[in-house]
Amino acid sequence: MFLSSAPQRRYLKESKMASTSSKEEDDSFANNVTPGTGSIDELDWQGTKSYLNESCHHLFENKLLCDVEFVVGSGADTEKIPAHKLILAARSAVFFAMFSEKWSAESSEINVEDVEPAAFKQMLKFLYSDKIDLSLETVTAIIYVAEKYAITALKNRCSDFLSDNLCTENACNILITSRHFNMDKVVNDSLDIIAKNTELALKAEDFVNIHLETLCLILERSDLRINEIVLFEAVDRWAEKACIKNNRCVSVTHKRQFLKNALFLIRFPVMKPEEFLSKVATSGLLSSEEEVSVLRLFTLSSKTGDCRFSTIPRRSFLVINRFQHEVTGGRFGLSNPATYHTIGFSVTRMIKVIGVGLYGTANVKYNVEIILQETINSDQKSYKDKLILTGMHYCSDRIFRIFFPEPIEVDPKKCPYRLRAKIKVTLHIYHTK
């Protein structure tokens, strides 16, 4: 069927007039509405959004169709923040319970006095858009609101942020926060940072603000890179601050009351005798019996005796690799049991060698003899042991660390040195791909 041109032109003209009339009515209506309430001019924004979270965030930012209002903060910092029950209930079990028929109040206004408005708005931004602006200054308040409303995804985002922004200077502060909110991964990351840069980390202002349990977590570690006497001075500074915070006079008695068992995590027997006598003994923190027990160990060839303090040096170490990558071929064992595997090395300053890393296979018994020898004087110190390497996986699944009973000093004036290892075991192939 073909249409005549006249009726078609008349139809188009009538449609155009109707469209113009409708637009004039729309403009007239738009001029009489309040912004933020869903005016006609604002109803065309959906086409500019590609994803659901973008649309939800637009509703939140522009306060469109809100059906609940939070009064957040206290005193002069109070702020009213509108939101949407459906979106909040979909993201939080706490909000779901609050807005259910069983618990819902008649008023649409909810008071939240224990949360900062800025943190509450950041939490809402995350619920609407999965985006959030975090900083070290605001993250603690945001973690608090995430826990309050059981928003696990937000807490995890904060946890990742803290781990990514850890450094020596803020490790103690982040350790305090992460322990308070039971963020285990961040706790471990913080402790690792403190262990690697102990002396600098303990000089941070926040060190004296950590709790006793947190202090003990640090002191229990055997990989702290710090002289024991410097560690003692830091702990003494912590005890002094504890007295001041609790409105007690700074005295030996009060220091010991606040330190409790943390004092016995300091390894006094590994200090130099002159350090112990000049700084520890004069501090008065140890009783006469405790001082005598430590002094007795200084005069004994073997570090054994009736002493409550550990005699084992902390194993803070730097790993030096012979190879830039793992060796992928070779063997050792009974083919020539008298052969030593030997490497030579030199140092430019005094160091202590605490052990070596050996190739091996898990769950196999080895007889190991390790000799550290001065090339010039042919003086040597040896260590023999029988051991079974059972899952001591440190660097990889084929490298095992063997620690000496006591660190061995290496003097740059006596270089070069030779490190020799004899390994007796049934023939094994190592590092085969």
Side-chain angles (χ1 to χ4, degrees):
M1 179 182 294
F2 295 93
L3 297 176
S4 65
S5 58
Q8 186 176 12
R9 285 194 298 272
R10 185 170 60 252
Y11 170 78
L12 292 174
K13 184 176 180 181
E14 291 174 352
S15 298
K16 185 177 180 181
M17 291 175 62
S19 176
T20 304
S21 175
S22 175
K23 186 176 185 306
E24 290 175 353
E25 292 177 1
D26 289 348
D27 290 342
S28 176
F29 174 74
N31 291 330
N32 292 300
V33 297
T34 303
T37 59
S39 69
I40 297 300
D41 283 347
E42 294 174 337
L43 292 179
D44 60 355
W45 56 264
Q46 292 88 344
T48 65
K49 311 300 178 185
S50 301
Y51 301 98
L52 178 61
N53 62 347
E54 293 179 352
S55 299
C56 291
H57 188 247
H58 183 87
L59 290 173
F60 170 64
E61 285 292 319
N62 293 277
K63 304 177 182 179
L64 302 176
L65 307 178
C66 298
D67 56 357
V68 65
E69 189 170 57
F70 295 90
V71 182
V72 185
S74 59
D77 295 330
T78 299
E79 184 174 344
K80 291 186 176 183
I81 305 174
H84 305 81
K85 292 181 179 180
L86 178 62
I87 294 176
L88 271 56
R91 301 297 306 271
S92 162
V94 174
F95 282 128
F96 184 86
M98 288 173 59
F99 301 140
S100 66
E101 292 184 3
K102 182 177 180 181
W103 298 102
S104 181
E106 293 183 1
S107 174
S108 62
E109 191 173 274
I110 300 174
N111 292 314
V112 185
E113 298 181 355
D114 59 334
V115 175
E116 299 173 9
F120 195 87
K121 285 191 285 189
Q122 283 295 322
M123 178 268 292
L124 290 180
K125 178 179 179 180
F126 180 81
L127 295 185
Y128 279 83
S129 66
D130 279 329
K131 297 178 181 179
I132 191 167
D133 300 319
L134 292 173
S135 69
L136 291 174
E137 291 73 26
T138 62
V139 66
T140 301
I142 294 173
I143 296 172
Y144 174 79
V145 73
E147 282 221 327
K148 178 181 177 69
Y149 294 105
I151 308 170
T152 304
L154 177 55
K155 185 176 179 181
N156 291 339
R157 185 77 63 87
C158 294
S159 174
D160 293 340
F161 173 83
L162 289 175
S163 291
D164 292 341
N165 288 273
L166 261 172
C167 65
T168 304
E169 290 74 14
N170 64 24
C172 286
N173 180 275
I174 291 180
L175 181 58
I176 294 171
T177 300
S178 56
R179 289 204 73 238
H180 179 77
F181 292 107
N182 299 311
M183 305 168 80
D184 294 339
K185 180 182 180 300
V186 185
V187 170
N188 292 330
D189 291 344
S190 302
L191 289 171
D192 287 343
I193 290 290
I194 292 172
K196 291 177 182 178
N197 305 277
T198 311
E199 188 168 348
L200 185 59
L202 300 192
K203 288 180 180 179
E205 293 182 5
D206 292 307
F207 168 68
V208 294
N209 296 320
I210 63 176
H211 297 117
L212 176 64
E213 295 80 7
T214 307
L215 176 64
C216 290
L217 281 179
I218 296 174
L219 297 179
E220 287 170 354
R221 294 185 68 115
S222 293
D223 57 348
L224 300 180
R225 295 184 180 179
I226 190 172
N227 290 330
E228 206 69 24
I229 188 63
V230 179
L231 183 62
F232 165 76
E233 291 173 338
V235 172
D236 185 49
R237 191 172 71 254
W238 180 92
E240 181 177 334
K241 182 66 174 181
C243 292
I244 296 172
K245 287 193 299 184
N246 290 275
N247 297 317
R248 302 288 185 88
C249 64
V250 179
S251 66
V252 171
T253 301
H254 290 149
K255 283 182 179 181
R256 285 206 62 146
Q257 286 178 354
F258 291 118
L259 282 171
K260 297 182 180 179
N261 289 330
L263 185 64
F264 297 98
L265 297 175
I266 302 175
R267 306 182 183 190
F268 294 107
V270 306
M271 295 179 182
K272 294 179 180 179
E274 57 269 23
E275 292 175 338
F276 180 82
L277 289 171
S278 63
K279 295 185 178 180
V280 179
T282 57
S283 71
L285 276 176
L286 299 185
S287 66
S288 298
E289 293 78 9
E290 291 163 348
E291 289 182 8
V292 170
S293 69
V294 175
L295 292 171
R296 186 181 293 115
L297 291 177
F298 290 146
T299 62
L300 298 175
S301 57
S302 122
K303 297 291 185 181
T304 57
D306 185 16
C307 183
R308 294 187 62 181
F309 306 102
S310 175
T311 61
I312 303 174
R314 298 184 194 273
R315 290 173 174 170
S316 58
F317 53 82
L318 176 67
V319 177
I320 305 298
N321 296 309
R322 180 185 182 188
F323 305 106
Q324 296 301 314
H325 55 83
E326 292 183 351
V327 178
T328 57
R331 64 185 184 180
F332 57 82
L334 290 178
S335 59
N336 190 353
T339 301
Y340 282 94
H341 299 265
T342 305
I343 60 173
F345 68 94
S346 299
V347 297
T348 57
R349 61 183 177 87
M350 184 75 73
I351 67 167
K352 291 183 179 181
V353 179
I354 65 172
V356 298
L358 301 176
Y359 291 115
T361 304
N363 302 312
V364 175
K365 186 175 181 179
Y366 294 82
N367 294 314
V368 179
E369 179 183 357
I370 298 172
I371 296 175
L372 185 60
Q373 185 179 52
E374 298 174 8
T375 305
I376 297 176
N377 300 320
S378 296
D379 292 338
Q380 64 182 37
K381 296 181 180 180
S382 62
Y383 167 58
K384 297 181 180 181
D385 197 8
K386 295 180 179 180
L387 69 156
I388 299 178
L389 301 180
T390 53
M392 294 186 294
H393 300 238
Y394 294 92
C395 299
S396 74
D397 58 353
R398 292 176 288 264
I399 300 176
F400 302 89
R401 290 177 181 167
I402 311 300
F403 291 101
F404 300 142
E406 294 184 4
I408 300 173
E409 286 191 349
V410 174
D411 190 339
K413 297 179 181 179
K414 299 179 180 180
C415 289
Y417 282 78
R418 285 188 297 183
L419 186 61
R420 311 174 67 193
K422 182 190 290 186
I423 307 168
K424 295 181 180 180
V425 66
T426 303
L427 187 63
H428 283 276
I429 304 298
Y430 64 83
H431 276 233
T432 55
K433 294 289 185 179

